[in-house]
Amino acid sequence: MRLLILSVSFLLLSLLSFGQSAKLIGQINANHQPLENINIKINTLKKVVKSGADGRFIFEDVPLGVCELQISGLGYESKKLSLQVKNGLNEFAVELQNASSNLDDVVITGVNRATSLRKSPVPIAVLSKKAMDQNVNTNLIEAIVKGVPGVTAVTTGPNVSKPFIRGLGYNRVLTLYDGLRQEGQQWGDEHGIEVDEYGISRAEVVKGPASLTYGSDALAGVINMIPYVPNSQENGLKGDATLNYQSNNGMLGASLGLAYVQNDWKYTFRATGKTAHNYHNPIDGWVYGTAFREYNLSASARVDKPWGYSKTAATYYNNQMEIPDGSRDSLSRRFTRQILDDGDDIKNRPIVPDADLTTYSINPLHQHIQHFRFYNNSQFKFGSSDLNVLLGGQQSVRREYNHPTVPSQAGLYVVLNTFNYDLKYNLPDISGIESTIGVNGMYQQNRSKAATDFPIPDYDLFDIGAFLFAKKTFGKLDISGGVRLDRRNIQWDDFYVGTDPATGFGKKVDAGNPGGNLQFPNFNKNYYGFSGSLGLTYNLSERLLFKANIARGYRAPNITEIGSNGLDPGAHIVYLGNRTFKPEFNLQEDIGVIAYLKEFDLSLELFNNNIQNYIYQSRLTDASGNPVVIVPGNLTYQYQQSRARLYGAELTVNIHPTAAKWLSFNNSLAYVVGLNQNEALLNLHGNKARYLPFIPPLQIRTELKATAQSPISFLDKPYFKIDAAIFADQDKFYALDDTETFTRGYTLFNAGVGTTLKSKTGKNWCDIFIQCDNIFNIAYQSNLNRLKYFEYYSASPDGRSGIYNMGRNFSFKVVMPF
């Protein structure tokens, strides 16, 4: 009996002890600031919680005794803790360190949810504002081109750059502003990206098909331009002022940014202005028609709550830039300008006075682009899942003035209205699988106003797509992939064009007008696309990994490819579309090796891209091989469609010797070949049609940089760098009908110095960047410079043809925080 009582008593005491539990409350910080969305796991309980906006987390019913915690978060070094849990309330704080390896950089573009670079099988590059500031940039895309191997740009003067990724551009590269599709009239060569470069704090570049997440137009990749958002938890007002001067075209830039934090609310405001006169090079002198004037405004308000966050933002972009046409005096090669509409003779135009070549005034023949954007991005948390909603409206207004006798009359005047929607639901993890379902798309409406030229019809577009994305980790192996289905409808009614008897110019008329011509017969068609991807990342170690990905992308033909039939005044090109075009599909394979080692970083990426129904431009010729001229003084291009293949590689080797931490030697190489697989053209024309148009040549960039590791008086981390950009000959070009010509290689040397000025108390006064591009004033033409083909004579006295790129350019930039 006594033995039975002792046994029962022992059992009751054991059960009582086992049943005792405690509450665990923790605080996660980094740099003395609370961290949100940090994962905290108790290994024995197999339970995971996330820190809130205040950095706090709670575990209920934690057994007494030793407790092992695993703490991890994107962009921060993981930490393991062993705690002695006592009965009642247990409180503690943890300070995390920023991850030292770029592999742990957090990205949000092209993935289902924020993730680190090491876990994404798709090649993604990240460019910080500091990196962009340390190069001479006349626009934001140029900054990205200099910082990311494999990215190039078609340019029309210093203010217009259209991004290309691995040889593919235009509507194949999707540009985003804060995750929202950038929708302007981006089909034209001379149509730039309507974004304030001074307001961007970070750019993320996806190299490869991203149709799975974004749908049509991400066939080649995505560039996401992310604006500044204050991350401070301290209430109050902060800001910065930027001043920028560039010597070549006298560019003056100024930007004022403000950020105000009040408890859960964060507000931002920015105003920017830029102006420049014509640029200069040693061959052409001052290049007439390349001045511009740009203004930007932006504002946002964000609230963070336990239920999630909501951000509302608006932007306004206003740019006036001149329209170069390259007309010159045949003997002196000085630039001339058009003064007549009827009776204009290129050979008899007057020479531009010297005073007009360096004026900041915008000449009557110019473009005026306005872009309005309003959007809301919100996240709603539901325990271990969340819903992300992005809704936005945009309006793009484009006027191109090309009538010198009636300068107030726009030749092109189009208004494009777009409503974007994007819903993504991140499901709770199931057996370690992170999955997302989503639906996104847009409704778009384009209307021509009081214009005289109509290159595209008035159209309506509706786009919708749904996708499923999943990711799972098996030890060192991360596997991710998904599928997507898209539908796009494009339609327009009959569009008639007649002649205005008062001016003699063209105008839009009703169907019953006796003098009207049917320029765009009605059209209504649906395009369907199926996309998918499957990729893996194998982490051989913390600093060495292998990536592989295969993806199928989709792109519906854009409006100019299927509907164009007229002159684009700003491009000086008559475009002719094809209503029978099919959507483009591509299958791309990527393999990459990335290593962040003690003495150097290495990244090697190989890709192969096969495209069905590839659409490209080609000059239109008659049966005798002579160029077809529909509008005098303007080229005529007919769109073509065929199979194509692109393949190439990107190599980056950055050396940072531990024995000389102040020194870095950064090198990159990018190479792509684009093959035209149009058998009919190849059989008829041979090598002239062998390659695709607008493929960049082999590029090598190398930079030697010295950075002080400790302050020198009031100079904090001053640096000096010298770099070279080496471009090989481009002899692999689309030569049929002289669409492209051979481009000779060149090497540009650049240099820069910079520092942060600090007070004795450690406060930052300002950041200073002094740089020089093209130190030796080399005369060169990029094969992607559209001005290269602005030439009206078959021969010239100096043997030069077309317009050359910018010459030597000094840049002085000061960024003053307050």
Side-chain angles (χ1 to χ4, degrees):
M1 185 68 179
R2 181 177 297 176
L3 181 61
L4 178 62
I5 292 173
L6 287 173
S7 299
V8 172
S9 300
F10 180 78
L11 179 63
L12 289 174
L13 287 171
S14 300
L15 291 172
L16 181 61
S17 175
F18 181 79
Q20 287 182 329
S21 61
K23 178 184 288 188
L24 210 60
I25 297 179
Q27 173 73 44
I28 309 295
N29 296 322
N31 300 319
H32 307 293
Q33 296 292 333
L35 289 182
E36 185 180 9
N37 284 327
I38 299 299
N39 295 313
I40 305 95
K41 179 181 180 181
I42 296 180
N43 295 327
T44 55
L45 295 181
K46 296 183 179 180
K47 185 176 182 181
V48 180
V49 299
K50 290 181 180 290
S51 60
D54 57 359
R56 293 173 66 82
F57 67 90
I58 298 176
F59 277 108
E60 302 278 1
D61 300 325
V62 180
L64 303 183
V66 177
C67 177
E68 300 285 345
L69 277 78
Q70 179 77 35
I71 302 171
S72 60
L74 297 175
Y76 298 92
E77 294 183 354
S78 299
K79 203 166 196 176
K80 290 183 179 180
L81 287 180
S82 182
L83 299 177
Q84 184 68 40
V85 179
K86 300 179 180 179
N87 192 30
L89 182 64
N90 296 260
E91 294 188 76
F92 68 101
V94 178
E95 187 79 14
L96 296 184
Q97 301 296 319
N98 291 319
S100 57
S101 170
N102 290 349
L103 288 173
D104 292 308
D105 234 342
V106 181
V107 294
I108 61 174
T109 308
V111 294
N112 61 330
R113 61 186 84 183
T115 189
S116 62
L117 281 175
R118 70 163 59 250
K119 291 184 176 293
S120 172
V122 179
I124 301 178
V126 178
L127 199 63
S128 67
K129 178 172 175 55
K130 183 73 76 173
M132 290 186 278
D133 281 336
Q134 290 183 4
N135 287 302
V136 180
N137 310 308
T138 54
N139 60 69
L140 180 62
I141 298 302
E142 185 182 354
I144 295 172
V145 166
K146 291 180 177 180
V148 180
V151 180
T152 51
V154 163
T155 62
T156 308
N159 197 40
V160 177
S161 296
K162 298 187 70 67
F164 273 48
I165 296 178
R166 294 175 168 176
L168 297 175
Y170 300 105
N171 286 74
R172 298 178 187 90
V173 175
L174 180 62
T175 53
L176 309 175
Y177 177 86
D178 203 12
L180 181 72
R181 291 177 66 112
Q182 176 76 15
E183 288 295 324
Q185 298 285 356
Q186 61 260 43
W187 41 266
D189 285 321
E190 80 290 0
H191 302 173
I193 305 299
E194 298 93 353
V195 171
D196 179 4
E197 67 168 302
Y198 297 123
I200 300 301
S201 65
R202 174 185 174 95
E204 296 179 357
V205 180
V206 179
K207 293 187 282 187
S211 300
L212 179 64
T213 311
Y214 301 104
S216 180
D217 303 350
L219 196 80
V222 177
I223 296 178
N224 189 8
M225 297 160 285
I226 303 169
Y228 168 76
V229 175
N231 56 14
S232 172
Q233 301 295 321
E234 297 179 5
N235 290 341
L237 179 67
K238 293 184 178 180
D240 67 82
T242 299
L243 299 174
N244 190 195
Y245 170 74
Q246 295 184 14
S247 64
N248 187 284
N249 59 352
M251 195 202 82
L252 299 169
S255 183
L256 174 66
L258 301 174
Y260 180 70
V261 178
Q262 181 64 41
N263 300 325
D264 298 327
W265 287 88
K266 298 176 181 178
Y267 305 91
T268 67
F269 171 81
R270 181 167 294 275
T272 294
K274 291 166 60 179
T275 185
H277 56 64
N278 297 308
Y279 79 84
H280 184 275
N281 66 53
I283 300 299
D284 305 303
W286 301 105
V287 179
Y288 183 64
T290 57
F292 63 88
R293 183 181 301 145
E294 178 185 318
Y295 302 103
N296 293 278
L297 294 172
S298 62
S300 71
R302 171 172 168 148
V303 60
D304 289 272
K305 295 290 185 180
W307 50 260
Y309 70 85
S310 182
K311 176 185 177 181
T312 300
T315 68
Y316 171 63
Y317 173 95
N318 188 321
N319 188 4
Q320 291 177 288
M321 56 184 179
E322 297 176 348
I323 302 175
D325 69 3
S327 67
R328 314 191 198 204
D329 177 73
S330 61
L331 296 179
S332 68
R333 297 288 287 172
R334 296 180 64 185
F335 284 97
T336 61
R337 64 180 170 195
Q338 182 183 358
I339 60 172
L340 299 174
D341 282 298
D342 292 333
D344 175 51
D345 183 355
I346 291 174
K347 295 181 179 180
N348 292 317
R349 289 181 177 179
I351 291 174
V352 179
D354 290 342
D356 289 355
L357 292 172
T358 55
T359 178
Y360 285 92
S361 299
I362 302 299
N363 74 49
L365 305 187
H366 68 276
Q367 300 185 61
H368 186 193
I369 303 102
Q370 295 170 288
H371 192 277
F372 307 84
R373 182 189 292 108
F374 182 82
Y375 65 97
N376 177 271
N377 189 1
S378 298
Q379 182 184 80
F380 304 94
K381 297 180 180 179
F382 308 104
S384 57
S385 66
D386 57 80
L387 175 66
N388 297 268
V389 180
L390 176 61
L391 302 174
Q394 304 174 64
Q395 184 180 74
S396 174
V397 182
R398 178 175 294 274
R399 304 177 184 91
E400 297 181 0
Y401 297 95
N402 65 322
H403 295 296
T405 58
V406 190
S408 61
Q409 173 63 61
L412 178 72
Y413 186 177
V414 289
V415 177
L416 180 70
N417 295 305
T418 305
F419 171 74
N420 302 90
Y421 61 94
D422 189 343
L423 290 83
K424 297 177 184 176
Y425 181 57
N426 293 318
L427 285 75
D429 293 358
I430 302 173
S431 300
I433 300 175
E434 296 180 8
S435 56
T436 301
I437 57 173
V439 59
N440 50 27
M442 63 180 173
Y443 171 70
Q444 195 168 80
Q445 184 186 76
N446 182 80
R447 296 294 181 264
S448 292
K449 300 299 181 180
T452 64
D453 297 290
F454 307 92
I456 58 173
D458 292 350
Y459 69 90
D460 293 322
L461 179 152
F462 180 72
D463 199 31
I464 186 169
F467 70 91
L468 168 65
F469 187 94
K471 179 175 65 176
K472 183 174 174 60
T473 299
F474 301 90
K476 295 183 177 181
L477 179 66
D478 297 293
I479 298 179
S480 61
V483 292
R484 179 187 178 99
L485 183 64
D486 279 282
R487 173 186 176 273
R488 172 172 289 186
N489 175 265
I490 301 178
Q491 69 88 25
W492 62 81
D493 297 327
D494 288 341
F495 189 110
Y496 289 84
V497 174
T499 302
D500 187 336
T503 64
F505 299 141
K507 71 172 184 176
K508 182 180 177 181
V509 298
D510 296 331
N513 191 297
N517 296 311
L518 181 59
Q519 186 158 332
F520 303 103
N522 69 82
F523 180 85
N524 191 330
K525 189 169 184 177
N526 294 319
Y527 298 94
Y528 296 93
F530 176 75
S531 309
S533 72
L534 179 64
L536 62 86
T537 301
Y538 185 71
N539 295 268
L540 287 85
S541 70
E542 281 294 312
R543 292 183 171 272
L544 180 63
L545 56 86
F546 169 83
K547 294 187 176 189
N549 191 71
I550 182 170
R552 172 184 165 95
Y554 147 79
R555 183 182 78 91
N558 66 32
I559 185 61
T560 187
E561 291 165 347
I562 57 173
S564 60
N565 183 25
L567 173 67
D568 178 3
H572 301 288
I573 292 175
V574 174
Y575 291 103
L576 301 177
N578 190 319
R579 298 157 65 96
T580 66
F581 278 164
K582 300 175 183 179
E584 291 182 346
F585 292 96
N586 74 328
L587 186 67
Q588 179 165 317
E589 302 90 20
D590 287 275
I591 297 176
V593 178
I594 302 176
Y596 281 86
L597 305 177
K598 186 177 181 180
E599 300 286 341
F600 67 92
D601 308 333
L602 182 145
S603 172
L604 173 63
E605 296 172 352
L606 307 175
F607 66 91
N608 180 63
N609 190 2
N610 289 286
I611 307 177
Q612 293 177 311
N613 310 320
Y614 178 78
I615 301 171
Y616 59 98
Q617 299 175 13
S618 181
R619 282 196 192 180
L620 186 63
T621 57
D622 58 23
S624 302
N626 297 314
V628 171
V629 177
I630 296 177
V631 179
N634 298 272
L635 303 173
T636 303
Y637 280 79
Q638 171 79 60
Y639 284 98
Q640 310 287 333
Q641 188 166 55
S642 71
R643 291 187 302 114
R645 180 191 174 204
L646 298 98
Y647 62 90
E650 289 129 26
L651 173 66
T652 300
V653 180
N654 298 330
I655 301 172
H656 42 79
T658 54
K661 294 184 177 180
W662 51 271
L663 183 66
S664 63
F665 183 39
N666 302 322
N667 306 272
S668 68
L669 176 150
Y671 180 66
V672 58
V673 175
L675 298 176
N676 186 353
Q677 297 183 331
N678 187 326
E679 296 298 335
L681 280 181
L682 290 171
N683 292 334
L684 190 62
H685 300 285
N687 280 338
K688 284 190 174 183
R690 182 180 180 186
Y691 299 103
L692 298 178
F694 304 118
I695 300 297
L698 170 70
Q699 299 178 42
I700 298 173
R701 292 183 182 270
T702 182
E703 175 194 81
L704 187 65
K705 185 177 181 182
T707 305
Q709 298 301 292
S710 57
I712 302 175
S713 184
F714 55 87
L715 306 179
D716 185 43
K717 291 188 176 180
Y719 72 87
F720 168 77
K721 68 169 187 172
I722 184 166
D723 66 86
I726 305 165
F727 296 81
D729 291 349
Q730 182 50 294
D731 54 3
K732 298 178 175 63
F733 56 91
Y734 185 73
L736 190 60
D737 304 321
D738 288 329
T739 297
E740 283 187 283
T741 58
F742 170 80
T743 304
R744 187 171 301 282
Y746 52 92
T747 298
L748 304 177
F749 288 93
N750 317 299
V753 296
T755 187
T756 298
L757 302 185
K758 283 195 171 186
S759 66
K760 292 182 179 180
T761 60
K763 181 181 179 181
N764 286 4
W765 283 341
C766 65
D767 293 322
I768 297 177
F769 308 94
I770 303 173
Q771 294 150 93
C772 179
D773 261 15
N774 194 1
I775 294 174
F776 300 109
N777 204 25
I778 299 297
Y780 71 99
Q781 286 179 314
S782 164
N783 81 304
L784 296 179
N785 174 15
R786 204 172 61 84
L787 300 185
K788 175 188 174 186
Y789 300 98
F790 281 27
E791 180 60 64
Y792 290 95
Y793 303 104
S794 58
S796 65
D798 59 6
R800 309 277 188 167
S801 177
I803 297 174
Y804 282 67
N805 288 71
M806 184 180 286
R808 182 187 300 114
N809 188 21
F810 286 94
S811 173
F812 305 88
K813 181 184 288 186
V814 179
V815 181
M816 298 169 286
F818 57 86

